[in-house]
Amino acid sequence: MTSTERDLRAEAEAWLADDPDPATREELRAALDRGDDLADRFAGPLRFGTAGLRGPLRAGPNGMNLAVVRAAAAGLVRWLADNRVPGPLVVGYDARHGSHAFAVETARVATGAGRPALLMPRPLPTPVLAFAVRQHGAAAGVMVTASHNPPQDNGYKVYLGDGSQIVPPADVEIEHAIRVVGPLADVPLGPPGEVLTDEIVQAYVDAAIGVIDPEVPRDLVVAYSPMHGVGRDVFVATLTAAGYPAPFVVEAQAEPDADFPTVAFPNPEEPGATDLLLALAKEAGADIAIANDPDADRCAVAIPLDDGGWRLLRGDEVGALLADHLMRRGVRGRYATTIVSSSLLSRMCAARGLPYGETLTGFKWIVRAGDDLVYGYEEALGYCVAPPMVRDKDGITAALLVCELAAGLKAELRTLGDRLDELAVQYGVHATDQLSVRVDDLSEIADAMATIRRRPPAELLDEPVTGIEDRLPESDVLIVRAGTTRVVVRPSGTEPKLKAYLEVVEPVVDGDIRKARETAAASLAALRTETAAALGLR
């Protein structure tokens, strides 16, 4: 046995002695008995990334388990006390494996430290938790979820008292507080706190209805999927309370199921994830199809095509549609997006004399784009359509606003596709795509980022590069521009992926939208190939 192996076994034995969960103690003991490689389990503690803690369900510090959750909760509660932040801790959870247990443990740590804890009444969408933090004047909120990650993962999102996700320096300070917690057996545990009633859900639904115009028509046929998550009941309640017909729901994906049996990855962006939804939409003769991800903070939208097929809109397209809709309704204030999203929103704001904000990736930054923020979105299907209500992405209110727009256009015998064409004629076709590479070894991502930094492209689509912006050390992002063509490269903050965000802008000449879209699509395909080569990918 090498010295490294001896050190790992000693670390594992120390973990076993402090682990409060018999199940993970048994799991780790079996791994030790088998002589399994412990390096990944003990590679280091999970760290707060784009969306808090997130990792595989397993024993050890580099996983989601009761020990990690107890330490995280103890560190958070200590940080709140050190900063003299008054109020209860609100704790929500989704339907993933371990979510309820992790939520109860968090509440017990809070009450054990003398702080009131409010536990959500059942598995509910993340935006309902974000809403509840402000509704109850809480010190902070915790949402136990891994959003759209695979079934073997879980996570832990922390919200501040204003209902927004944590940002530096709070995340670093909370991490430090977690590291100095000490033996977990010494963390005092109290009762699981007060379980909230469904009044909090009704309060969310009532507030969500206020997002839309009561005078807009309600004639709309909607097909919907919650993607085996927790969005169905809240979405259906909100849609019907707003006066729309109940949606057709994908039966095989209607109930919460932590194993996500019908999809490879429970993310509407992934190939094949919306196949059942689009089949239902066609069968039901729907006007639009909508999917939430498992914790319902994201919203995917699909529209019917003239040939009888369906097309899933890109996040940038839905983002532009919702922004344009709010602008047409006279909603004035700051409209914001991220550095990896389409540049179309900036052009819309400039043309209409509205303030524009551009931030780093993640809603924790978008909602801080300015005190005058009225709308924010990111290309990864996230939309904040009512910042005073939910200071985070919210797939329920976004879906409701999409329905309002679609119903209004339907009453005029037009569609979301027609509105996209109008925007293309006015601002040009802003075509976006993504080169996404999932890896098993994170060093592959670092190697690719090093490759493009060392030898950035001199041209994009035969046009000379006009600017290279390296966001290190602020963020691991590289932006390359050639005229209106843009490539943004960064590692994912939530998954083992390298992502390159591509954009080309093609003007519409003589009203020929079809030709402009075809030219843009061809340019995107070529840009994808060029970007892969620049990253050293095959």
Side-chain angles (χ1 to χ4, degrees):
M1 183 182 297
T2 67
S3 61
T4 300
E5 289 172 333
R6 283 194 297 271
D7 290 345
L8 281 172
R9 289 189 68 86
E11 192 175 353
E13 293 287 357
W15 182 272
L16 276 169
D18 200 33
D19 189 346
D21 187 351
T24 47
R25 287 202 305 269
E26 181 180 348
E27 174 199 329
L28 187 55
R29 174 57 65 190
L32 280 166
D33 292 344
R34 291 192 305 266
D36 286 359
D37 183 11
L38 302 174
D40 193 36
R41 291 178 185 264
F42 290 88
L46 290 180
R47 297 195 176 277
F48 281 95
T50 301
L53 297 173
R54 196 173 291 187
L57 289 157
R58 62 182 179 185
N62 194 25
M64 282 295 297
N65 51 66
L66 206 65
V68 165
V69 166
R70 183 179 293 186
L76 171 61
V77 170
R78 170 62 64 86
W79 180 82
L80 291 171
D82 289 347
N83 286 274
R84 296 181 172 83
V85 183
L89 180 68
V90 183
V91 186
Y93 56 98
D94 65 7
R96 283 179 176 266
H97 295 297
S99 287
H100 180 258
F102 294 163
V104 170
E105 185 77 0
T106 299
R108 294 185 68 200
V109 170
T111 58
R115 183 177 295 273
L118 305 176
L119 193 65
M120 298 298 276
R122 62 178 188 276
L124 287 166
T126 292
V128 179
L129 179 279
F131 171 81
V133 169
R134 303 182 78 181
Q135 188 78 355
H136 284 278
V142 168
M143 181 68 191
V144 182
T145 179
S147 190
H148 57 278
N149 274 39
Q152 63 268 23
D153 289 358
N154 213 326
Y156 200 84
K157 296 176 72 170
V158 177
Y159 290 83
L160 299 177
D162 66 354
S164 65
Q165 294 182 49
I166 57 170
V167 294
D171 55 354
V172 176
E173 293 170 356
I174 293 171
E175 268 200 298
H176 176 71
I178 293 170
R179 304 299 165 239
V180 299
V181 163
L184 296 179
D186 294 343
V187 175
L189 298 178
E194 175 189 348
V195 178
L196 295 173
T197 69
D198 271 359
E199 287 182 6
I200 187 62
V201 182
Q202 188 59 52
Y204 171 89
V205 171
D206 292 343
I209 295 170
V211 171
I212 63 172
D213 183 347
E215 302 301 323
V216 171
R218 298 292 196 262
D219 177 21
L220 194 71
V221 181
V222 180
Y224 172 73
S225 173
M227 205 71 65
H228 296 295
V230 296
R232 180 194 61 184
D233 291 351
V234 178
F235 174 69
V236 173
T238 303
L239 192 69
T240 54
Y244 291 91
F248 292 89
V249 180
V250 177
E251 184 176 352
Q253 298 174 338
E255 296 294 334
D257 190 327
D259 293 319
F260 306 109
T262 68
V263 292
F265 291 96
N267 180 353
E269 292 182 294
E270 293 284 347
T274 57
D275 286 356
L276 293 178
L277 171 65
L278 300 187
L280 174 64
K282 185 174 183 178
E283 177 186 346
D287 298 307
I288 59 170
I290 292 173
N292 288 134
D293 66 339
D295 69 327
D297 64 351
R298 302 184 186 216
C299 171
V301 180
I303 59 174
L305 301 175
D306 292 339
D307 63 5
W310 282 76
R311 181 172 80 84
L312 197 67
L313 299 181
R314 302 195 67 83
D316 282 317
E317 292 178 305
V318 178
L321 284 169
L322 290 177
D324 176 72
H325 181 55
L326 291 172
M327 291 174 185
R328 288 171 185 258
R329 274 180 39 183
V331 176
R332 298 193 64 81
R334 187 171 304 274
Y335 289 72
T337 189
T338 71
I339 57 175
V340 303
S341 299
S342 170
S343 60
L344 175 56
L345 182 60
S346 66
R347 291 180 169 85
M348 292 167 60
C349 287
R352 297 173 182 182
L354 294 168
Y356 169 72
E358 189 170 285
T359 73
L360 293 174
T361 305
F363 264 85
K364 62 184 181 182
W365 300 115
I366 292 173
V367 298
R368 292 176 170 86
D371 293 338
D372 56 348
L373 181 72
V374 294
Y375 172 77
Y377 94 91
E378 63 181 358
E379 53 74 41
L381 309 183
Y383 318 94
C384 175
V385 302
M389 175 187 167
V390 175
R391 287 177 60 81
D392 195 16
K393 57 183 176 289
D394 182 350
I396 304 294
T397 53
L400 186 61
L401 197 63
V402 167
C403 289
E404 176 186 76
L405 171 58
L409 289 169
K410 181 181 179 181
E412 300 171 357
L413 304 180
R414 296 193 299 154
T415 66
L416 296 181
D418 294 330
R419 179 55 54 82
L420 284 172
D421 285 348
E422 291 177 29
L423 293 174
V425 170
Q426 186 172 0
Y427 301 105
V429 172
H430 286 64
T432 58
D433 198 3
Q434 186 182 124
L435 173 63
S436 180
V437 182
R438 187 178 293 272
V439 301
D440 296 321
D441 184 351
L442 293 179
S443 67
E444 296 177 46
I445 293 177
D447 291 344
M449 293 300 296
T451 295
I452 194 170
R453 282 191 166 103
R454 188 169 57 250
R455 294 191 302 273
E459 293 183 339
L460 294 176
L461 301 178
D462 297 325
E463 293 289 333
V465 167
T466 54
I468 297 177
E469 184 180 349
D470 195 336
R471 290 296 186 100
L472 276 176
E474 175 190 25
S475 182
D476 191 5
V477 175
L478 187 74
I479 305 172
V480 183
R481 292 185 174 88
T484 57
T485 300
R486 189 192 64 181
V487 174
V488 183
V489 186
R490 73 171 184 98
S492 170
T494 56
E495 299 176 271
K497 283 182 176 182
L498 175 66
K499 293 186 174 183
Y501 303 83
L502 318 176
E503 181 179 37
V504 299
V505 181
E506 186 68 30
V508 176
V509 178
D510 298 329
D512 195 339
I513 298 173
R514 180 187 295 275
K515 182 178 180 180
R517 293 195 189 282
E518 289 174 350
T519 302
S523 296
L524 274 181
L527 185 60
R528 185 184 182 90
T529 301
E530 291 181 7
T531 303
L535 290 165
L537 304 174
R538 297 179 181 273

